[in-house]
Amino acid sequence: MDEYSRFVDWDKMDVSAQSQDMKELTCTDFHELKQLARQGYWAKNHSLRAKVYHKLISNIPCRTVTPDANVYRDIVVKIIGKRNSSSLPLPEFVDNSLIPTYCLNAEGVGAIRKIILCISNQFPDISFCPALPSVIALLLHYSKDEAECFEQVCRILACNDPSKRLIDQTFLAFESSCMTFGDLVNKYCQAAHKLMVAVSEDVLEVYSDWQRWLFGELPMAYIARVFDVFLVEGYKVLYRVALALLKFFHKVRAGQPMESDSIQQDIRAFVRDIAKSVSPERLLEKAFAIRLFSRKEIQLLQMANEKALQQKGITVKQKSSVIQNLLNYCFSMFCVVFLRQNVHLAVHAENFKSEIVSVKEMRDIWSWIPERFALCQPLLLFTTLEHGCSLSRFYSHSEGHEPTLLLIKTTAKEVCGAYLSTDWSERRRGGNKLSFFGTGECFVFRLQPEVERYEWVIIKHPELASAGSETENHAQPGSSTLSSSSIPSDPSDRLSPFLAARHFNLPSKTASMFMAGSSECIIVGGGDGQALYLDADLNHGRTSHCNTFNNQPLCSESFQISILEVWGFRD
């Protein structure tokens, strides 16, 4: 049909969806290009899409020495020889990934392996890249020959713009992206996350499939539309689409029995057959309706997850067949098992004892916390039953631990609490005044009479700082809290919702904070207008809330504390 049809099996393609109208793409403005990509401007013309891909990939900033088409022509014969490409073993970094054919003809299917092997020869630093076969198969559709496809893939892999992340090429990057996706699901797909926790023994293992949903299971017409936007907007688009897939899976399958013994297999099957329920346009519409945090903030979360993995010694996927690395392998496998443990393993029934929550309730809480801390086990730091009702002792036992978990049982048998992201020692920065700190990972929750987790709401630093330690001024809703829908749209005007400013030298003068502490009281910003206040004697507390989403209050507006516990996280 055109000069880019060499590897396409048109009998398998939906030709009716292709337009013969010859369009041109002349715009260079990023925002206009982004809108055109999202609208599918070049999606219905095979030749135009090929030209647009070539233009976009050619503009990717790359290393000084990046293999091109001529390199491929020089090395392919030496590497492949006269062997049948279908019998060639793939490099280990593709991790036995699916090799989608995407309506390619026999020559195209054979070219995938040849290009992978040549990339392996030119990129010895790639250690883990399961998305690569899918990317190559897709780009073969829009390449004149193998050499051109090789050059385009090499440019994507060799991108050296630190702000433009494209494809994961190490096990550390891949695994931290899975943890980051899990964190995003926990925040943006809470109903689906609740289902995953209920039916899966290993939630992170389910979320570790997220790239496979896109680069493997998603049909050609869908991944091509995703790739259109990905080349313009970058990695964040992949998170958006994967979240949208999970939302649709939950919507379509909610209340229905599982089709297999594994939720992983059910999600994969749903994505493969997504055309039965969702169009590509509807999928992208859903993806871009999710109001994700900024690219910078997601990058910070990814960095935190990478750091957590490095501290656990999980940086590579070891090969069990290498005898000389047996000891390293054993250690690594221990770490991987530890990483992929479910909440049942993190909260051991025989080792866990709380006077406020059961093992099951603690496991529910554990499923809400950020992935990098789900690697840890709970450690009791403070309890009023043993240490008394003293705020100073509360601080002395809690300081030095980050994060912490606050659990409260009232005399009315209500149970609520808060996940607190930052060390309480940060309060000292304000001297004797009420001091504000924390991150957007803080949240409050209720376990009794009903389970409810509330998304964070902000304690606005400038307002409270001027009030000093006059705690009564903070007791009224609206004076000390700000709905999450009121966050400034400019990321530079607020603290990352995930990480403290001190970790990354971010500006904090106008940052929105989430925890407050002094010698007189504690304040924790909650969600949907919820906020929790505790007095210095740790006998009394109160809440403020607004019924923005008809949520039930955290607990009674004024309550007496029966038991209070603080838990830390033990490696």
Side-chain angles (χ1 to χ4, degrees), residues 43-161:
K44 291 186 177 182
N45 188 290
H46 189 266
S47 180
L48 177 62
R49 178 180 263 159
K51 293 174 182 177
V52 172
Y53 279 11
H54 181 78
K55 179 178 180 180
L56 293 175
I57 294 173
S58 296
N59 289 332
I60 294 175
C62 296
R63 305 170 191 168
T64 305
V65 180
T66 298
D68 59 14
N70 290 327
V71 170
Y72 182 82
R73 297 185 184 100
D74 289 340
I75 66 173
V76 65
V77 176
K78 300 175 186 176
I79 294 173
I80 308 301
K82 296 181 179 180
R83 292 177 293 173
N84 187 332
S85 59
S86 63
S87 64
L88 297 173
L90 292 176
E92 293 184 356
F93 64 66
V94 298
D95 194 40
N96 296 318
S97 303
L98 290 177
I99 301 185
T101 58
Y102 290 150
C103 304
L104 293 172
N105 56 28
E107 183 183 6
V109 173
I112 298 174
R113 288 178 174 267
K114 293 165 67 176
I115 295 172
I116 290 175
L117 288 167
C118 289
I119 286 175
S120 177
N121 175 267
Q122 293 295 303
F123 289 84
D125 52 333
I126 296 180
S127 59
F128 198 79
C129 192
L132 186 60
S134 175
V135 172
I136 294 172
L138 180 62
L139 288 178
L140 277 169
H141 264 267
Y142 306 102
S143 301
K144 296 177 182 178
D145 55 31
E146 295 173 11
E148 184 176 271
C149 180
F150 170 84
E151 178 174 327
Q152 293 193 82
V153 176
C154 286
R155 292 195 64 83
I156 292 174
L157 294 172
C159 175
N160 62 358
D161 183 350

Side-chain angles (χ1 to χ4, degrees), residues 13-52:
M13 294 283 286
D14 182 6
V15 183
S16 62
Q18 293 292 309
S19 170
Q20 299 305 314
D21 296 337
M22 287 304 298
K23 300 178 181 178
E24 294 293 334
L25 185 69
T26 57
C27 78
T28 56
D29 178 72
F30 172 77
H31 296 289
E32 184 180 353
L33 200 59
K34 182 169 75 170
Q35 289 304 314
L36 292 175
R38 292 187 179 189
Q39 294 166 7
Y41 179 82
W42 52 80
K44 291 186 177 182
N45 188 290
H46 189 266
S47 180
L48 177 62
R49 178 180 263 159
K51 293 174 182 177
V52 172

Side-chain angles (χ1 to χ4, degrees), residues 483-497:
S483 169
S484 59
S485 63
S486 303
I487 303 171
S489 60
D490 184 359
S492 65
D493 290 337
R494 67 183 189 273
L495 181 66
S496 162

Side-chain angles (χ1 to χ4, degrees), residues 470-530:
E470 299 175 8
T471 58
E472 290 302 316
N473 291 340
H474 309 308
Q476 298 300 320
S479 65
S480 63
T481 60
L482 178 69
S483 169
S484 59
S485 63
S486 303
I487 303 171
S489 60
D490 184 359
S492 65
D493 290 337
R494 67 183 189 273
L495 181 66
S496 162
F498 296 110
L499 303 170
R502 64 186 173 85
H503 290 153
F504 295 97
N505 298 317
L506 297 177
S508 59
K509 289 183 179 180
T510 59
S512 300
M513 301 302 184
F514 306 85
M515 300 165 57
S518 71
S519 59
E520 299 179 9
C521 74
I522 288 173
I523 304 176
V524 179
D528 296 340
Q530 304 284 347

Side-chain angles (χ1 to χ4, degrees), residues 185 189-199 207 250 367-368 451:
V185 172
C189 305
Q190 292 187 21
H193 180 67
K194 188 175 181 180
L195 174 64
M196 299 302 115
V197 172
V199 302
Y207 296 152
H250 179 261
S367 73
W368 297 332
V451 176

